[in-house]
Amino acid sequence: MNKIKLLLLTLVSATLLTQVYAQQGLYMPREIKQAYVKGTRSADGKPGARYWQNRGKYNISITTNPPGRLVKGTETITYINNSPDTLRRINMKLILNIHRPGAAREGHASEDYLTQGIQIDTFLINGQKKNWNNATMGSTNQAVSLSTPLMPRDSIKLNIAWHFDVSKESGREGMIDSTTYYLAYFYPRVSVYDDYNGWDRIEFVDSKEFYNDFNDYTLNVTVPKNFIVWATGTLQNPTQVLQKSYADKLKRSMTDDSTTHIATLADLAAKKITAQNIVNTWTWKATDISDMAVGISDHYLWDAGSVIVDKKIGRRASLQAAYSEKGTDFKKSVQNGRNALGWFSNNWPGVPYPFPKMTAFQGFADMEYPMMVNDSQVGNDSFAQLVQDHEIAHTWFPFYMGINESKYAFMDEGWATTLEYLIGIDEKGPQAAATFYKQFRVNGWINDRSTAQDLPIITPSNEQHIGYGNNAYGKPSLSYLGLKDMLGDELFKKALHGYMDRWHGKHPIPWDFFNSMNNVSGKNLDWYFNNWFFTNGYIDLAIGETVKGKDGYTLTINNVGGFAIPFDAILTYGDGTTKTLHQSPAVWEANQKQLFLTFKAVPGKSLKSVMLDGGIFVDATKKDNIWEVK
């Protein structure tokens, strides 16, 4: 009887849920629907009553001796299964196998890029050795069967030893110069196992990004004396690895607004910054974080300062910079970073920076990592600041929330692009920020008529190639800015914070964002989300028939491209004066193909022309955006 009742209840719940989404009208893949049926996700945008996620505890030790390229590592992983499922295998991510000859990748690989990838030396599960064939187990994903299933609410312990050669060609990671390495994705990790997709087995092909659990890390990095190590997390033993005067300078910088030059050229030449042991082991800890990254050099300059990121409690975050003598862009990194951390914490998104520090490391990647950015030297202070701003903005998207960048890149890159633009208005002024945004984020897309560029934003990122960039960056950013225009800053921020608070430390998917914004704003925005994320739209307005009435004019505005955008109708009069009528995206709710704009004549003035101006919402066909009175 109880089983029958339970079955009926499940069927009724599924039916009601289907009805809810039928009313909303947003497409939802079948795999996602199951998460709502199971109760791990909720139609109001909150994590469901049965939401869960797995996590791990990583104790990692690596050793390297530049200019030798060999890195040796050992780790102990305690992997905790919080799911209701019995796991008979685990999936390991071996990202550095992207360097192997023959690996699946979306671009050319030079000889200097290629290595043998990660070589597993030993792999133990709960103390029992697992056979590992590096010749055949060379994917960036590797399924590992468990001799004893991992039950719900239980854990397993993995002991892994491995080694790899740092690639000569540096991208997201690798050799910066002969004695400077940036190490990322350098350790075997357990893939995400989630409530809607099971094991994440999307191959890393070097063009898309990542999806990780929130884990606790202890990281030990052993290097020769005179090498400095920067890494994700908090350095646990500064007085053991640094000479006293340098440890003291680092400590003082944690409460200082000004830039402290911890290691200068003269200091580096004297070779007395680090403890003068044959090797030093630098120990870092980080909790509830999605990844670790490491920078190593024996000749990089080291600056540091700090900024208050949470005014309510006076909490500060450290901003550090590590760069070569020729890295002129990085001389301002600390102060630029202080500005970014403070601005993002207090303006947009307006959530205090969640970590104790941020390090800007000179490399070649222009890439984000938890508590670190790896940026290239470009020789342009303004552009360097913008790139650093963008990468720091990723702190909130994807690291504050565990976003699946591999599948839904627009959930992080779109927001980082939006925040890059908003802070740019403050730093460079509205006109300069808009000009750059249009040139760098919009024009390339709107002037490219190829089919790939018009794929819906919701298209999984791992299924895209040519259209990936615009679907991850510019198009979603425009949708977020359009929503901000429509809701107004106060309501938009309230809804955004509601979404972020609900999913901080969890794994949101697009429907959680859509539903949460609806729920917190108190508005049904499905028409807008459907318009921007689920259609093949673009930006193209055209003025159609214009009727002059007794008291004014009515313009027909056709939405040829389909996207619901904000725009200005600029009325120009015979005496040279103008009047701007701003239209938010809300004007397209009733009819997304056409609207009628009515405005009154101004006594004593003759209307000369009307021009539609979308600002950063650049129109694909500008010639039909102007109507002149004849």
Side-chain angles (χ1 to χ4, degrees), residues 61 116 141 234 261 292 347 353 399 411 426 455 478 501 594 604 611:
S61 295
Q116 290 304 305
N141 284 298
T234 299
H261 302 296
M292 299 289 280
N347 295 279
Y353 182 72
F399 301 135
M411 294 183 71
D426 186 74
L455 289 174
L478 287 168
D501 291 346
Q594 188 179 77
M611 181 179 71

Side-chain angles (χ1 to χ4, degrees), residues 535-548:
T535 73
N536 301 88
Y538 59 101
I539 302 172
D540 190 4
L541 303 183
I543 297 177
E545 181 182 6
T546 302
V547 177
K548 185 178 186 303

